[in-house]
Amino acid sequence: MRRAVWKLGGAAILAGVVASVSDARAAGEAKGGGVFPAASLAKLKSDDPAVVRAALDDARLAGVGASAAIPAIGALLKSGLSYPLAEAAIDTLAELEPRDNSPFVPYALHRVPKVRVAAIRALAKTPSGPGMATAASVLQAALRDPDVLVRGTAATGLGALKAIAAVPDLFLALDRHVYEAASSIGELCNPAECAMLTARIGSVPFDVITTGLEPMLFRPDAQVREDVKVAIVTKVRDVGTREANKFLANLQRRWSKTGSAAVKRALDAGVIATSSSPGGA
Amino acid sequence: MTRRGLAVVGLAALVACGGGGTGYGVFSTNWNDDDGKSIDEVEKKLAGVPIPLGADVAVGVAGHGSRLVGAPLAGGSRWSFAHAIDARPVVAGGVVVGSGGNEVFAVDALTGKLLWHLPTGGLALHGAGDDGTVSVVTMSRAAGRGSTLLAVAHDGMVLRQIDPSVSLGAPAVVNRIAFVPWDNQYVSALDVTDGAEVGRLLLREKTSHAWTSGGALYFGELGLFRFDAKIKNASRGGADHVALPAKALPGHPVLFQPGDRAVAASSGAADKVRLYARPTAPTEVLAIADGRFYATYFRLLYGLTVSPRAALSWVHTHADAIVGGAAAAGGFIACDEAGKVTTFDAGTGATLGGVIDLGEPVESCVVSADGLRATGAPHDALPLVEQIRVALADRDLELGAGQALLLRELGELPDEAGTAVLLGLATDPHLAATVREDVRAALATRRSGAPAMIAALGKHYDFLHDVLVPPPVAPLARALLAMNIPSAAPALARHLFDPADTDEDVRDVALALATLAGPSEVPDLLRFFALYRDAPEAPEAIPQAVGAVAEAIVRLGGAPGRAAIDAAIRQPATNATVRAKLTALLEAASVQRAAPSIKPSSTSRE
């Protein structure tokens, strides 16, 4: 056992995070896996980075069927991996949809931006459960990151995590040109926040603001009131450009027959009002 | 005697024919050092003769070299004198001598009233002295080597013209004896009445200026020699002499430009980057008055101590470039491009009294402050740290080198306020990159202000809140390590994981933690070690950081730490530099464990 642990890296011993092979198998079986061969599992513990890389590829190809590899890959990450292997291990583990997202957390502050992006993307996939709060906290902090890709990925991920507490920070990010924040705000905003986003029509690029307006319009009326949605459509109509027309027409086509009739009327009127609008192709 | 208005070129009858006290021709290079005999006789002859104080006045060249504007410093109306100006005017005693329009002329320094003017054929003024009755003027010939010296009475009578083939410096006159430096090493004493060279002085230091100050006569260029009873020993290095202490100042300013050539009417860089100093009174041991000398760097004015070493005492940031000035008793008089004349206190740099206005911008300015004492109600008396902060906050790119000096000085100031100023600058997003590097260098040398440093480390890059300049982590780490502040370890450890920090920041944090970290930092150290032990060789700062962190782990991590190190050594992916460091660490630890304990010797004190 001691030797096996060494192969995974000394730091794992200290953190007490190395799961035994039997633990890994148990986890895999519990999730209904078993197609990930034991030989590949052993490869994950190799000293040779190329062999580990190959095992990660095997796991990724096996998909959720390689759930038996989850503890081993998690342990690999916690023990520390070189830059390209770390990114591959994060991506692989994320595809296996682990319940425990803690292996990703340290990598959200890694010095290599690509690794941070991978970690944040993985954390954004955290399933409902105790790990979500941690994931949301890490992603919210990542909005402050010096790297533009990291910030954008975090902004998108916060929407996926339904991190409503992060909306104020998402506004700060949007106002600093983290345009991915618009979509997440549209998915998460309360009435006051939705009004704040709507108020940015005209100040935020139209193709950006619509990524936030669209999810707002399709959210249930219980979350975003019908009159708010009508006001959004009216405000877009008032923009009066070809892009506004295309956006409204697209919504008009996709509007559910069971959706709000008032919004539908507003869309119809908006499309007509903007049909001869200038600009754009 | 020749009447006024005669062409200088036609004054052959008054050319000195030599003879007199030296026994050689005037400005003869065949002269042998007489061990100070002749100059000693001159000194004895003049010993009881009072030397009148010069006018206290600021004189500017204005109107694109078309007029002089002057203002008495001790009160009085400003004046203007229209005349073409082709060289820097000279304030000599109570007159201002100028040249231009093929003339040399003198006006009363306090009123601007014309005293005399003479045709020159285009010779350019480069020096003048005046004893209250006679002006002696040296001028450069249009081409080639050689100079012209004129002695002119205040009524315009030309007393003497000499046209030697040597280069004459800026002269002084005492009781009708002209003291004329030449060839950068001699000072000839000429009796302007008969043209005889009555004495000569050989100096062992470059000398091209003679001038009077505070009722005494001085020679020099690099330093100052006083004309007193010891002057006879000059050729043997025994004259009274003082020089400014060495100090690396921006732009390499000098006390005097060479006195054997004309200085342009308009000021240049050498006028804006200058040194100023004044000798002590002739009754005192020769030294620099007030223990201060002054340096300008465009709009910056530095007050510097003379002893025990040249150190910054104060700095003033001026509104306009200082193009002229003079050290006065108790302070400094500065004349700026806007034509404003300001007095500064020697000790604090506070402005004293009101500003004197020349009435218009000036192209150059000369100031004479002979009998003036700097007095007046002080304004803007700020502590040095605050003066430096003000100077560093100025965005004028021209001041860069001058600000670099201030940063170095700030780094050496012992009080904690200096650290606070540097920290504020280090995170100023508008600071020029070159200045920021100087700020970081200065911070690394600080040995006070640890609490402010730790507080600064608590700040991190924050895109959302526009904190876009991280704290100067590496310099702070180096300073805190040098000060041995273990309480800084938690703040330092957090910077191991700040992606906004540079690789060098992380390395220096790790190097500091190798010494400063305590048990509470072990989890962070292990995490960092795990993440980066197999970092690539480049950038090399990260493997170096891992090595330093490993050092702390060996010291603090106990058996688990040792296991982590062992495992990393065995891992093929571990960075080679890191592995070598780890191996060396374990070997050193092993040797330490194996070393026998040393018992106190029998002679040691219990």
Side-chain angles (χ1 to χ4, degrees), chain B residues 38-388:
Chain B
S38 62
I39 201 70
D40 187 43
E41 288 173 7
V42 174
E43 195 279 327
K44 285 187 168 71
K45 184 178 173 185
L46 295 177
V49 176
I51 297 176
L53 295 176
D56 298 321
V57 67
V59 178
V61 175
H64 304 288
S66 66
R67 61 181 168 272
L68 295 180
V69 290
L73 302 179
S77 302
R78 67 175 181 239
W79 52 262
S80 176
F81 177 73
H83 196 285
I85 308 295
D86 64 4
R88 192 67 51 83
V90 178
V91 178
V95 305
V96 179
V97 181
S99 71
N102 294 321
E103 283 192 327
V104 61
F105 63 89
V107 299
D108 185 287
L110 298 180
T111 65
K113 181 187 171 191
L114 179 65
L115 297 176
W116 54 261
H117 63 110
L118 291 167
T120 62
L123 303 184
L125 170 74
H126 60 73
D130 189 279
D131 67 357
T133 60
V134 175
S135 302
V136 172
V137 179
T138 51
M139 294 178 286
S140 306
R141 290 186 191 157
R145 185 174 153 84
S147 310
T148 291
L149 179 146
L150 280 181
V152 186
H154 279 197
D155 63 359
M157 185 88 68
V158 177
L159 303 176
R160 191 64 44 196
Q161 174 179 346
I162 305 174
D163 299 296
S165 59
V166 298
S167 295
L168 303 182
V173 197
V174 176
N175 201 32
R176 297 206 165 205
I177 302 293
F179 293 84
V180 187
W182 58 283
D183 265 9
N184 290 323
Q185 58 178 336
Y186 300 115
V187 176
S188 287
L190 308 179
D191 186 333
V192 298
T193 308
D194 60 11
E197 181 170 345
V198 293
R200 188 180 292 192
L201 177 61
L202 173 62
L203 296 160
R204 301 300 185 184
E205 181 181 284
K206 188 182 181 191
T207 297
S208 63
H209 288 263
W211 72 100
T212 59
S213 174
L217 174 64
Y218 298 88
F219 314 119
E221 180 181 315
L222 304 179
L224 288 72
F225 294 93
R226 187 162 67 189
F227 182 74
D228 57 19
K230 292 183 184 173
I231 197 68
K232 63 187 176 189
N233 303 318
S235 66
R236 298 184 298 278
D240 272 336
H241 174 264
V242 66
L244 297 181
K247 176 80 174 173
L249 291 167
H252 308 292
V254 294
L255 198 54
F256 290 106
Q257 295 186 53
D260 58 0
R261 66 203 68 165
V263 180
S266 294
S267 60
D271 299 295
K272 297 170 185 171
V273 182
R274 257 200 75 177
L275 296 178
Y276 298 88
R278 172 188 179 86
T280 46
T283 53
E284 299 174 21
V285 173
L286 180 58
I288 300 300
D290 300 312
R292 291 285 186 282
F293 68 106
Y294 312 93
T296 55
Y297 189 79
F298 300 94
R299 293 194 295 110
L300 296 178
L301 171 62
Y302 309 105
L304 299 140
T305 58
V306 172
S307 65
R309 63 186 181 90
L312 185 70
S313 176
W314 52 265
V315 60
H316 168 80
T317 307
H318 208 56
D320 296 282
I322 296 168
V323 293
F332 179 75
I333 317 292
C335 180
D336 63 38
E337 282 180 323
K340 303 290 193 295
V341 182
T342 312
T343 303
F344 297 90
D345 178 64
T348 65
T351 53
L352 299 176
V355 173
I356 296 169
D357 191 353
L358 288 170
E360 59 183 309
V362 294
E363 286 118 47
S364 65
C365 191
V366 290
V367 179
S368 170
D370 201 354
L372 186 77
R373 166 156 281 280
T375 55
H379 307 287
D380 312 324
L382 299 172
L384 175 58
V385 167
E386 186 60 18
Q387 290 175 333
I388 292 176

Side-chain angles (χ1 to χ4, degrees), chain B residues 314-590:
Chain B
W314 52 265
V315 60
H316 168 80
T317 307
H318 208 56
D320 296 282
I322 296 168
V323 293
F332 179 75
I333 317 292
C335 180
D336 63 38
E337 282 180 323
K340 303 290 193 295
V341 182
T342 312
T343 303
F344 297 90
D345 178 64
T348 65
T351 53
L352 299 176
V355 173
I356 296 169
D357 191 353
L358 288 170
E360 59 183 309
V362 294
E363 286 118 47
S364 65
C365 191
V366 290
V367 179
S368 170
D370 201 354
L372 186 77
R373 166 156 281 280
T375 55
H379 307 287
D380 312 324
L382 299 172
L384 175 58
V385 167
E386 186 60 18
Q387 290 175 333
I388 292 176
R389 191 195 63 73
V390 170
L392 294 175
D394 198 295
R395 304 286 177 224
D396 186 351
L397 294 177
E398 195 172 50
L399 302 183
Q403 290 171 325
L405 167 74
L406 296 177
L407 288 169
R408 290 194 297 274
E409 294 287 334
L410 195 55
E412 293 173 10
L413 291 178
D415 61 280
E416 300 200 356
T419 302
V421 170
L422 287 168
L423 285 169
L425 288 166
T427 51
D428 181 348
H430 304 296
L431 200 67
T434 51
V435 180
R436 190 186 309 283
E437 283 308 306
D438 290 332
V439 169
R440 290 172 66 91
L443 267 172
T445 65
R446 297 292 298 171
R447 296 297 176 263
S448 64
M453 291 184 184
I454 295 170
L457 284 173
K459 295 172 184 164
H460 291 257
Y461 179 98
D462 185 347
F463 177 81
L464 285 191
H465 296 92
D466 303 321
V467 182
L468 305 181
V469 181
V473 176
L476 294 183
R478 291 201 293 273
L480 289 162
L481 173 61
M483 289 189 282
N484 192 25
I485 310 290
S487 60
L492 286 167
R494 281 190 286 278
H495 278 280
L496 288 174
F497 304 101
D498 187 337
D501 290 346
T502 66
D503 296 327
E504 288 69 30
D505 285 336
V506 172
R507 177 199 57 205
D508 288 355
V509 161
L511 288 169
L513 287 170
T515 300
L516 302 179
S520 61
E521 280 71 61
V522 169
D524 280 339
L525 297 170
L526 291 171
R527 184 154 65 101
F528 183 84
F529 184 78
L531 284 176
Y532 299 104
R533 71 176 191 278
D534 53 0
E537 288 296 340
E540 63 183 8
I542 297 304
Q544 290 168 352
V546 175
V549 163
E551 200 175 329
I553 291 173
V554 168
R555 181 168 60 85
L556 299 163
R562 172 62 187 263
I565 304 290
D566 281 340
I569 290 173
R570 293 169 190 229
Q571 280 279 325
T574 297
N575 175 288
T577 302
V578 171
R579 179 181 288 106
K581 171 78 175 179
L582 300 180
T583 305
L585 281 172
L586 290 189
E587 283 175 1
S590 171

